[in-house]
Amino acid sequence: MTRPTPKEIKPIAQVSGIPVDDEIATRISNAIGPAFEGFAAIAGTLPFDLEPASYVVAQTQKVSK
């Protein structure tokens, strides 16, 4: 799996029910890109996928104290 571009992130987020604009798609790409690059050597051998569409949900949830 290669580092997702903002152009790829927008439709994935849209399908997931979390529409994002160009700026947010770019921020998501920049934020998760290093993880994709770090896992490139073992891509396809892990039992999970990195999912950029849920990034906005995780970033906007309020944390209870």
Side-chain angles (χ1 to χ4, degrees), residues 19-57:
V20 297
D21 61 24
D22 291 339
E23 180 184 350
I24 292 175
T26 300
R27 288 177 54 210
I28 293 170
S29 177
N30 290 337
I32 67 172
F36 276 85
E37 291 164 356
F39 283 112
I42 57 172
T45 64
L46 299 174
F48 65 89
D49 264 332
L50 300 173
E51 176 54 61
S54 58
Y55 180 83
V56 174
V57 173

Side-chain angles (χ1 to χ4, degrees), residues 5-29:
T5 64
K7 193 174 188 177
E8 295 167 324
I9 289 173
K10 279 188 79 165
I12 293 169
Q14 181 95 20
V15 167
S16 298
I18 308 167
V20 297
D21 61 24
D22 291 339
E23 180 184 350
I24 292 175
T26 300
R27 288 177 54 210
I28 293 170
S29 177

